[in-house]
Amino acid sequence: MSWQCGQRIVAEPTGATVSGISVAAGAHVHIDVSLRLVEWPWQERGPVSLVPQPSEVTARTARGELRLGFALPTPANVLLPPSHSSTGTLRFTLQLTTPALVALEAARDGGSLELAMTLVAHPFLIARHQGYAPGLDIRPTCDTYAFKVPREQWLALLKSVGYCDTLVTELRLPSSGSDATAQGRQRLVQAVNARNEGSYAEAMRRCRIALDELKNAGFGGKAPAEVARFLQEKAGTMPQAERLSALQLALQLLLSPTHHANAPEELYTREDAELAIAMTAALLRLAPRWTDEPKKAG
C-alpha cells in the first residue's frame, strides 16, 4: 500500500484518525491520513510533489459494505518528499447527509467500523534530461488503504456532529409480509401520508385501525387478562391525559425487567432499542402539556 512514482515508492500510509463537525442536514467527517515520506533523489531526478485527489470511501461492517461517496482533500494540500525520510499528514473531508449517517449507523449496528479509501495522487515530477529543457511528468498513482476506526473515536465523532442531540432513526415501513397483515400495512402508509399533509388526527386514526388489523392477524390475545380487560372497559371514556398516562405505564411494563440486576436474559435488537428511545422521548416532550398547572389570573 503505497504511492509510487515510476518504480519508486514515494509515500506510504501509516495510520488515520477521524473527527467531525456539524453542518446543515449532515456532517463533515474529517479523515486525517498519516504518511511516511520516502527519500527522493533530488539530484538525479529533480523535485517531485504529490497532489492528492478525491478518494472514494467504503465502510465495512459486520452487515456488509456501504459506499459513502468521495472524500475531498483539503485544497492546496500537497506532499513534498524531502531529501530524507519524514512524515506528513493529509486531510480528507467526507460529507455525509443525515440519512447517510442513519444508514451507516444501522449498518454498524453498535459494532466495529472499518473505512477503506481509494487513495489517488498525481505526482508532479520535473524531469531533467541532459541536453533538453526540463519537462513536466504527471503519472497518477493509486492504491487502497483500509483502517479500523476505534469505537470510542467514532462515538465521539457522533456526539461532536450533533447526531445524538436529535435521534434520527431509519424507520423501515413494512412494505411486504404475509397476506394477513396486508391491510394493516396499507393503513400505515395512509397514516404516513396523513402526517405529511399535516392531518395529525387522521394519522392517529389510521394507526388505530392498523393496530386492529394487527390484532386480527393473531398478535392480540397475548397481553395479561386484567390489562386487556381494563383497556376494553375504559379506553372509550378516558380523556387524552389519562390515555397518555396509561401509555406511559404500558411502556414501563414493556421495559420493566431490563433495569433490574437479576433480570432474565431476553433477545433485544436495534429496533427494540429505537422503539424504547422514540416512545420515551415522545412522552418526555408531551408530559409538560398535561403536568404544567395553569397560571392563576391576577
Side-chain angles (χ1 to χ4, degrees):
M1 294 182 293
S2 61
W3 278 340
Q4 299 185 10
C5 186
Q7 300 298 319
R8 185 180 181 85
I9 294 176
V10 181
E12 292 179 313
T14 58
T17 59
V18 297
S19 59
I21 60 173
S22 177
V23 296
H28 279 175
V29 176
H30 297 314
I31 306 174
D32 294 311
V33 181
S34 301
L35 300 107
R36 182 176 71 90
L37 305 180
V38 182
E39 180 180 349
W40 180 256
W42 297 91
Q43 300 299 326
E44 299 176 12
R45 305 191 184 185
V48 63
S49 58
L50 290 171
V51 182
Q53 302 300 302
S55 173
E56 187 172 19
V57 181
T58 301
R60 297 172 178 173
T61 69
R63 292 190 173 186
E65 294 189 350
L66 188 65
R67 297 176 66 178
L68 301 179
F70 284 84
L72 303 181
T74 299
N77 209 344
V78 177
L79 286 177
L80 190 65
S83 58
H84 56 84
S85 297
S86 63
T87 60
T89 301
L90 290 176
R91 166 162 287 190
F92 295 83
T93 300
L94 176 66
Q95 183 171 347
L96 293 180
T97 62
T98 299
L101 275 172
V102 170
L104 179 55
E105 277 301 280
R108 190 176 69 88
D109 196 20
S112 60
L113 176 65
E114 183 180 68
L115 296 181
M117 303 178 64
T118 305
L119 294 178
V120 181
H122 285 170
F124 281 73
L125 171 65
I126 300 179
R128 295 179 178 177
H129 303 285
Q130 188 174 5
Y132 296 93
L136 195 62
D137 187 9
I138 305 174
R139 301 180 184 179
T141 179
C142 176
D143 208 339
T144 300
Y145 177 59
F147 61 96
K148 292 184 177 179
V149 180
R151 185 177 179 183
E152 60 275 10
Q153 191 177 110
W154 183 254
L155 295 179
L157 182 149
L158 290 178
K159 292 180 180 179
S160 67
V161 301
Y163 183 84
C164 302
D165 296 339
T166 301
L167 181 67
V168 181
T169 64
E170 186 182 36
L171 180 60
R172 300 178 213 167
L173 299 182
S175 57
S176 62
S178 65
D179 293 340
T181 59
Q183 291 184 349
R185 296 196 305 272
Q186 183 179 1
R187 306 290 187 189
L188 184 58
V189 171
Q190 294 170 352
V192 173
N193 292 336
R195 191 285 309 262
N196 294 342
E197 296 170 358
S199 303
Y200 304 131
E202 181 63 22
M204 304 284 280
R205 284 191 287 270
R206 294 297 175 179
C207 286
R208 174 65 176 82
I209 299 173
L211 293 179
D212 283 339
E213 298 292 346
L214 187 60
K215 179 180 179 180
N216 295 336
F219 187 76
K222 294 180 174 61
E226 59 274 17
V227 175
R229 188 181 308 111
F230 170 82
L231 292 176
Q232 291 170 355
E233 293 177 355
K234 302 293 185 180
T237 59
M238 294 172 61
Q240 187 176 358
E242 292 183 1
R243 297 200 305 273
L244 190 67
S245 182
L247 177 61
Q248 175 186 336
L249 291 173
L251 184 58
Q252 286 181 275
L253 178 65
L254 175 65
L255 306 179
S256 181
T258 58
H259 72 295
H260 293 295
N262 298 323
E265 291 291 334
E266 294 184 310
L267 175 63
Y268 294 109
T269 65
R270 185 181 182 88
E271 287 73 19
D272 293 307
E274 290 179 347
L275 168 68
I277 293 172
M279 292 190 68
T280 302
L283 286 171
L284 288 172
R285 287 177 59 88
L286 289 171
R289 183 193 303 177
W290 309 111
T291 57
D292 290 345
E293 296 183 359
K295 297 181 179 179
K296 295 182 180 180

